[in-house]
Amino acid sequence: TDASAFKECFSLTWKNPYVLRLAFSAGIGGLLFGYDTGVISGALLYIRDDFKSVDRQTVLQESIVSMAVAGAIIGAAVGGWMNDRFGRRMAILIADFLFFIGAVVMASAPNPALLIVGRVFVGLGVGMASMTSPLYISEASPAKIRGALVSTNGFLITGGQFLSYLINLAFTNAPGTWRWMLGIAGLPALLQFILMLLLPESPRWLFRKGREEEAKVILRKIYPADDVEKEIQDLKESVEAEIREEGSAKISMMKLLKTKTVRRGLIAGVGLQVFQQFVGINTVMYYSPTIVQLAGFASNKTALLLSLVTAGLNALGSIVSIYFIDRTGRKKLLLISLFGVAISLGLLAGVFHETTSHSPMVSRIQTFHFSNYTCPDYISATNPGAWDCMKCLKASSPDCGFCASPTDKLLPGACLLSNDTVKDLCHDESRLWYTRGCPSKYGWLALVGLALYIIFFSPGMGTAPWIVNSEIYPLRFRGVCGGIAATANWISNLIVAQSFLSLTEAIGTSWT
């Protein structure tokens, strides 16, 4: 088509708002997906403050983050089967119900164990929504703007992440901070449940199930009058040809792998989903405020505020994707995206190397100024004169923190026991208190690296894998193959989320 899909989408707002209503209603599944991945990054800062067992155990922090991902793996796998058996619309309704239950459980959790249970429920819903929403939008969109409309799902994912950071900031001073952050996630699930009750099933799925008259009614609402009869005929012929080819044989993994077109599609679709995670996006989305603190910004609120920049750029990148995805093509956009991601990660590694290798020294005078709270490992050290901030933060029996100099945070400071009493004493003297990362003059460069990473990732690797997976499979295999690809995405996501903090402790932030 001569006009870009981006312009077509805007003209469609005036010509046929029904298509956009379908796309945005289903796309709230993307908003739920985005909100969940974003909200935990800020909530975790306050969960650590409320539950000391979480603050002390990195594995427990990773579990609170990654159990939603574990639930999503099951949700995506079951979602593939449910999509083909009960339809796209029913799968979205069930996902909303699970998400709502999970949000309520998390908001009322009295201990980390129940919080993790709530995260699993949320994950089940998010896993189903992550693959069903783009599939529904793809099957309910006119062909020439399909890429742009499926990109709206990507935009709503990133919009959900941006919204979660705003809500995190809004509740920083509220009592029960993280409970509000996690509980409010039930509202978009409730909204989508109501909207989807008022919308029809996917016309392609209805054709597949022999419910042609229902499908034709929907297609007449989606397509202009002069295109609709041709679309109905094309769809009918396509479905009949597939049924003749497949006979009555049931779908099995062997059948998937033996069918050359499906096998090649799976290699491309699954490969893209795995690499989307392994280039590290969810270390940024799940742990962005933690990364900002590792770069030398002490306060929770500052970390959340600076993380808002990366979330905003992510949302902006997905708008750029809507414009370029049908003009540039999927492959070229992916290659440009990956090149930029590699450069950005190189910059981040360099910044964190400088931050950790040039941290402020520990001053004996400053430390003994807080005589009753000196870090025990510092007192018993054979060479305390060689201690710097990073050495202080690595002390673990018990944990220690760094209280910066009152005149300049880069000057030698105090190495003290890490607890709320000492933190308050440090703040009372107008000093900054560090437990995650150390003061650094290079911290702002880490923000530049994060921003560049998001700018390059979001338009290409952020949205293209979902679009490709909604396009490349034959209709009969679309639900199952989409489920396999989404499951691969979540398994890769789980590996990244469960290992990130442990890796930073084991090999350092720059190598991670």
Side-chain angles (χ1 to χ4, degrees), residues 171-470:
F171 287 110
T172 48
N173 296 321
T177 326
W178 58 270
R179 296 183 188 278
W180 285 102
M181 293 172 179
L182 298 175
I184 212 165
L187 293 179
L190 193 61
L191 175 65
Q192 187 180 37
F193 188 88
I194 294 165
L195 289 173
M196 291 307 296
L197 282 174
L198 304 173
L199 288 175
E201 183 50 81
S202 151
R204 285 170 171 79
W205 184 83
L206 290 171
F207 252 100
R208 182 77 213 181
K209 295 296 178 182
R211 293 157 62 180
E212 291 186 18
E213 290 310 311
E214 292 176 61
K216 287 176 183 175
V217 170
I218 300 158
L219 287 168
R220 288 191 177 101
K221 290 183 179 180
I222 294 170
Y223 283 88
D226 49 347
D227 293 346
V228 70
E229 292 306 322
K230 182 178 183 302
E231 179 64 24
I232 289 169
Q233 191 57 36
D234 287 350
L235 193 52
K236 188 176 180 180
E237 288 172 7
S238 167
V239 170
E240 286 172 355
E242 283 181 3
I243 292 170
R244 280 197 303 273
E245 180 191 327
E246 294 149 10
S248 58
K250 288 186 177 179
I251 295 174
S252 66
M253 279 306 295
M254 287 307 294
K255 184 170 177 61
L256 288 180
L257 296 173
K258 282 179 180 175
T259 309
K260 187 180 178 183
T261 50
V262 180
R263 185 176 69 247
R264 292 175 69 193
L266 270 174
I267 291 168
V270 171
L272 278 176
Q273 295 286 30
V274 168
F275 282 110
Q276 184 194 60
Q277 293 304 319
F278 282 174
V279 299
I281 181 58
N282 281 321
T283 58
V284 175
M285 296 324 297
Y286 293 151
Y287 297 110
S288 186
T290 305
I291 292 171
V292 170
Q293 288 186 334
L294 288 169
F297 295 90
S299 130
N300 283 356
K301 196 164 185 176
T302 305
L304 282 172
L305 194 60
L306 292 172
S307 299
L308 193 62
V309 175
T310 60
L313 288 168
N314 201 16
L316 185 66
S318 58
I319 297 172
V320 172
S321 171
I322 294 171
Y323 184 74
F324 283 108
I325 195 76
D326 288 321
R327 299 182 76 181
T328 310
R330 283 62 164 150
K331 184 180 174 182
K332 190 184 288 184
L333 206 57
L334 283 165
L335 288 170
I336 294 166
S337 177
L338 284 167
F339 175 76
V341 162
I343 298 294
S344 309
L345 289 175
L347 172 62
L348 272 173
V351 169
F352 278 112
H353 175 73
E354 285 300 304
T355 301
T356 52
S357 58
H358 295 86
S359 67
M361 299 303 291
V362 173
S363 158
R364 189 177 180 84
I365 296 168
Q366 293 276 354
T367 300
F368 285 107
H369 170 68
F370 301 89
S371 55
N372 297 328
Y373 302 104
T374 304
C375 176
D377 281 12
Y378 177 74
I379 295 170
S380 59
T382 51
N383 186 14
W387 274 49
D388 61 10
C389 171
M390 285 309 298
K391 181 96 173 170
C392 175
L393 298 192
K394 286 177 182 174
S396 58
S397 52
D399 290 335
C400 296
F402 184 79
C403 185
S405 166
T407 52
D408 183 348
K409 66 179 183 179
L410 298 175
L411 292 174
C415 183
L416 309 171
L417 280 168
S418 179
N419 60 44
D420 289 341
T421 305
V422 178
K423 178 182 174 183
D424 292 341
L425 280 172
C426 183
H427 285 157
D428 287 345
E429 295 195 7
S430 302
R431 298 163 177 253
L432 293 172
W433 176 247
Y434 293 86
T435 55
R436 303 283 156 203
C438 289
S440 170
K441 61 182 176 184
Y442 301 109
W444 65 273
L445 269 176
L447 292 175
V448 172
L450 278 175
L452 278 175
Y453 174 88
I454 291 291
I455 288 166
F456 280 110
F457 176 90
S458 185
M461 284 302 288
T463 52
W466 298 104
I467 292 170
V468 170
N469 272 284
S470 71

